[in-house]
Amino acid sequence: MTASTSQNWSADTSAALRVGPGFRLADLDPSSTPGYTAGKSHGQKDLAAGVVRLDQLQERLYAESRSEATHASVLLVLQAMDSAGKGGIIRHVVGSVDPQGVALTAFKKPTKEELAHDFLWRVERRVPEPGFIGVFDRSHYEDVLIGRVRSLAPAEEIERRYGAINDFEKRLVDGGTRVVKVMLHISADEQKERLGERLARPDKYWKYNPGDVDERELWPAYMEAYEIAFERTSTEAAPWHVVPANRKWYARLAVQALLLDALEEIDPQWPEATFDVEAEQKRLAAT
């Protein structure tokens, strides 16, 4: 819930989480709750209250687009180390609104066809239509994160991609899309505990990937790659937000608040009737 609608937010949510100059992940406690003054029980209540507002705004946005009254949309970009809680955000935050107005894309390893094109080719095909909340579960940032850490492209190509990303996101914003970029920040210890839980529960085996341990061994390199990405691509048009995610309830509440901020900035309205309401009431009564 945004600071303007919940007394438990002590500061503007976006401002509390936005990446600023010289930002370092090591300086942000993954168990902290920036801008939020209450605890888990209040956070869960605020999350439930925010569901109502989020659903109303999303429905109005979708309705406006169906009548071609708006070109606005929202794109939520979720990036994180494995087990940081992207699935929980999608289920408990985005999943609380009408699914017909949501476009979810989970980007996986590029296919041969996708590799034959520029790295943004597959991403541009999945941007949300007017009236939609689009969600990228991982995104074009994989191409400057794992791409950098694993040296999957030449260094000069990685450098080029930062500028290409900024140009791409600026085009989205200029076209009416609010881009909400979120990195869910967990500690290495928290990740180890969550991965261990997946190995301890048969109903969680499907979530476990042995490659996650390989990526853990590169943790410092990934933290550096994230910081470089923040420095190069946190722009006025599309700023980065880092959400401490050791506390799942806070991460969900914070992302919901960022989405509410974006939708309230759009301020969608119910479209006016394109027909004579009184005449239609009389016609209906006569049937």
Side-chain angles (χ1 to χ4, degrees):
M1 184 175 280
T2 60
S4 62
T5 53
S6 172
Q7 62 182 2
N8 294 317
W9 284 106
S10 62
D12 176 71
T13 317
S14 181
L17 300 171
R18 185 176 301 177
V19 168
F23 175 84
R24 285 173 39 82
L25 285 165
D27 296 334
L28 180 63
D29 181 357
S31 295
S32 63
T33 59
Y36 196 74
T37 60
K40 182 176 181 179
S41 61
H42 285 93
Q44 291 173 328
K45 291 177 182 178
D46 279 346
L47 184 71
V51 163
V52 177
R53 179 63 174 159
L54 188 66
D55 184 58
Q56 290 173 342
L57 288 166
Q58 186 267 343
E59 186 178 8
R60 294 204 317 236
L61 179 66
Y62 184 77
E64 267 196 328
S65 71
R66 296 309 92 179
S67 63
E68 300 183 348
T70 184
H71 295 291
S73 63
V74 176
L75 173 59
L76 173 64
V77 175
L78 290 174
Q79 287 289 153
M81 297 296 284
D82 294 299
S83 78
K86 297 190 309 299
I89 297 293
I90 293 168
R91 185 177 307 110
H92 297 285
V93 179
V94 182
S96 67
V97 304
D98 189 338
Q100 72 174 336
V102 175
L104 170 64
T105 303
F107 287 101
K108 306 298 183 183
K109 182 178 179 180
T111 64
K112 288 184 178 180
E113 180 186 18
E114 290 168 345
L115 287 171
H117 294 80
D118 182 71
F119 78 105
L120 286 172
W121 179 77
R122 65 174 183 163
V123 178
E124 292 188 10
R125 302 171 74 193
R126 303 298 299 177
V127 297
E129 299 175 25
F132 276 71
I133 295 177
V135 183
F136 285 175
D137 179 355
R138 300 191 187 278
S139 68
H140 43 296
Y141 283 96
E142 292 295 286
D143 294 281
V144 293
L145 292 170
I146 189 171
R148 186 183 190 95
V149 173
R150 290 289 187 178
S151 299
L152 300 180
E156 57 270 22
E157 169 60 15
I158 298 295
E159 289 299 318
R160 181 193 72 83
R161 289 175 181 176
Y162 296 120
I165 286 172
N166 288 338
D167 292 343
F168 164 61
E169 292 176 347
K170 181 64 162 54
R171 290 198 306 272
L172 288 182
V173 173
D174 288 346
T177 300
R178 301 308 196 276
V179 180
V180 181
K181 299 189 299 194
V182 173
M183 186 264 194
L184 300 174
H185 179 40
I186 62 169
S187 66
D189 287 344
E190 179 68 18
Q191 188 202 48
K192 186 174 184 178
E193 182 176 330
R194 293 183 187 183
L195 292 176
E197 181 183 359
R198 292 178 180 181
L199 286 171
R201 293 176 51 180
D203 64 324
K204 297 289 186 181
Y205 289 167
W206 67 276
K207 285 189 171 184
Y208 185 82
N209 182 344
D212 294 347
V213 177
D214 298 327
E215 298 305 298
R216 259 183 73 78
E217 294 175 350
L218 297 171
W219 192 279
Y222 273 106
M223 297 302 101
E224 180 184 22
Y226 269 109
E227 288 175 356
I228 293 171
F230 298 153
E231 179 184 353
R232 306 288 180 84
T233 65
S234 190
T235 64
E236 188 66 29
W240 270 103
H241 300 86
V242 177
V243 174
N246 277 9
R247 302 175 191 269
K248 294 180 181 179
W249 66 266
Y250 173 78
R252 294 167 185 173
L253 182 65
V255 174
Q256 182 193 71
L258 291 171
L259 285 176
L260 281 169
D261 283 346
L263 285 164
E264 287 171 350
E265 183 180 334
I266 295 171
D267 191 24
Q269 302 297 318
W270 294 116
E272 296 290 336
T274 57
F275 48 83
D276 186 325
V277 175
E278 185 176 348
E280 290 304 307
Q281 289 174 334
K282 291 179 179 179
R283 289 182 66 233
L284 179 61
T287 60

